[in-house]
Amino acid sequence: MSEPRRSVRDLLRVPAGGTGFDLGAIHPRTTPGLPRAGVVGTDPKAWARARVQEIGVELGRQQEMLFASAKVDPASGRRLLLVLQAMDAGGKDGTIRRVAGTMNPLGLQIRSFGRPTEKELSHHFLWRIRRALPTPGYVGVFNRSHYEDVLVPRVESLVPEHTWRARYDEINEFEQELADGGVTLLKVFLHISYDEQLERLRSRLDDPEKHWKYEPADVDTRARWADYQAAYAEALARCSTSGSPWFVVPANRKWYRDWAVASLLRETFAGMHLTYPAPRFDVDRERRRLLDMRPEPAEV
Ligand code: ATP
Ligand code: MG
């Protein structure tokens, strides 16, 4: 099975510094990097779903190497942190289930960020983020993140403009600090259209088993769609750096979204050059010790 010619990271990356970045020009129904029809066949959805399973096997192996490396060298601080941002019903939960769900749950640390509590608000906005960082050796997933702090407070005028504007630089400095501490960040914006959001929210109303997912406040947020898109566009542009780029995944088609995020994870892991660590014991000696242990110790 041939792979796309350009890496998915290259195709979906927001240019560093965001020069010329236009979020509105990225159509949420497109499928950048998907191999040509001859490879994908007549059912791209089935192809993508099968591919996610295959990639998932590789992700599991990489995750294990990360865990093993941290076990022998905890000081390296190495870990991977997937940051997921999207408008409501953008597919963060589904992506976590289908893509992160291919990895070993023992090696995952998943955190969701809702509206800050009183206590959280009394601290700097990065306080709750620092406390939620994955432990070295783990794959962390942030379901929303510190980026909310340059979105909601801006659109809802919760803080003065100079406060949220200053946060872009603060975030860039913070993410540099994370990189220095061994954290590999993968920041992904799941990009859905206004119409697709309508369909997804409507299906939550139409299906009684989805009522629990419906949040009346989402309609108020939807009313500010253009403001949120502008806030996202600026955040992605200002905080896409060469060390920690943003990736925009067209996410109207769930099967493409999952394939793209799985591919981004695989490529990001590949860039970490992980290996299984060398044993810190003499393998032959241990084998002899194990096999020469005869007879069985007496039962007590
Ligand atoms: P779904 O996509 O299924 O609706 P969700 O991610 O919206 O899930 P919720 O618990 O419904 O999860 O909502 C979390 C809410 O908290 C969002 O509206 C989000 O914008 C808000 N939020 C998160 N962080 C902040 C922040 N720092 N400041 C203000 N609001 C925030
Ligand atoms: Mg919500």
Side-chain angles (χ1 to χ4, degrees):
M1 199 175 287
S2 75
E3 292 298 311
R5 273 165 296 141
R6 281 177 69 196
S7 74
V8 178
R9 280 179 67 97
D10 282 345
L11 285 166
L12 303 183
R13 184 188 284 113
V14 175
T19 27
F21 175 64
D22 179 5
L23 182 60
I26 302 176
H27 200 283
R29 265 189 81 77
T30 51
T31 57
L34 199 74
R36 60 193 164 72
V39 175
V40 171
T42 51
D43 189 350
K45 183 171 170 176
W47 179 88
R49 291 256 186 265
R51 213 51 202 112
V52 167
Q53 291 310 309
E54 276 175 39
I55 297 171
V57 173
E58 173 63 15
L59 297 182
R61 194 169 162 270
Q62 294 282 347
Q63 179 197 30
E64 190 175 72
M65 288 194 282
L66 176 62
F67 194 86
S69 310
K71 191 178 167 205
V72 301
D73 181 17
S76 76
R78 297 192 85 186
R79 52 214 129 140
L80 177 77
L81 175 56
L82 171 65
V83 170
L84 288 176
Q85 285 287 156
M87 295 295 286
D88 290 305
K92 294 181 273 83
D93 294 1
T95 305
I96 293 171
R97 193 172 61 245
R98 286 180 188 275
V99 182
T102 62
M103 287 182 271
N104 184 346
L106 274 176
L108 288 176
Q109 291 178 350
I110 302 171
R111 298 296 302 262
S112 297
F113 294 95
R115 282 196 176 263
T117 60
E118 281 298 315
K119 183 172 181 181
E120 287 169 345
L121 281 174
S122 73
H123 289 275
H124 186 269
F125 76 99
L126 292 172
W127 179 78
R128 66 174 183 164
I129 305 297
R130 289 181 190 280
R131 291 160 56 96
L133 291 171
T135 315
Y138 286 78
V139 175
V141 181
F142 278 2
N143 179 6
R144 302 192 189 269
S145 66
H146 42 299
Y147 283 91
E148 291 291 321
D149 293 281
V150 288
L151 299 166
V152 185
R154 166 183 172 151
V155 174
E156 292 184 16
S157 305
L158 301 180
V159 298
E161 177 164 351
H162 65 84
T163 303
W164 59 257
R165 275 210 174 277
R167 289 178 179 169
Y168 298 130
D169 287 340
E170 288 184 82
I171 288 175
N172 288 339
E173 280 164 30
F174 170 62
E175 292 183 355
Q176 181 59 55
E177 200 188 298
L178 293 186
D180 296 342
V183 181
T184 299
L185 268 183
L186 174 59
K187 303 185 292 188
V188 175
F189 174 58
L190 305 176
H191 186 35
I192 57 162
S193 64
Y194 188 65
D195 290 348
E196 179 67 18
Q197 189 194 47
L198 174 67
E199 286 314 311
R200 294 187 187 182
L201 292 179
R202 182 160 61 190
S203 79
R204 291 180 183 184
L205 285 174
D206 290 348
D207 180 351
E209 293 193 354
K210 287 189 182 171
H211 285 170
W212 64 275
K213 280 195 193 181
Y214 186 82
E215 186 58 61
D218 291 354
V219 179
D220 303 306
T221 306
R222 176 170 169 78
R224 310 294 303 273
W225 181 272
D227 294 337
Y228 273 102
Q229 293 296 302
Y232 264 115
E234 189 163 3
L236 301 181
R238 290 288 311 271
C239 300
S240 198
T241 58
S242 54
S244 181
W246 265 103
F247 299 92
V248 176
V249 169
N252 273 18
R253 292 176 155 114
K254 293 174 182 173
W255 53 265
Y256 170 78
R257 170 199 79 198
D258 294 341
W259 174 80
V261 176
S263 300
L264 287 171
L265 271 168
R266 185 182 56 169
E267 290 172 10
T268 304
F269 265 130
M272 292 172 77
H273 304 293
L274 294 164
T275 51
Y276 280 106
R280 289 165 303 163
F281 48 83
D282 180 335
V283 177
D284 288 336
R285 180 171 176 274
E286 288 304 309
R287 185 177 292 111
R288 279 195 304 275
R289 243 161 51 79
L290 178 69
L291 299 179
D292 291 352
M293 198 185 286
R294 297 275 193 271
E296 230 172 89
E299 264 182 48
V300 283

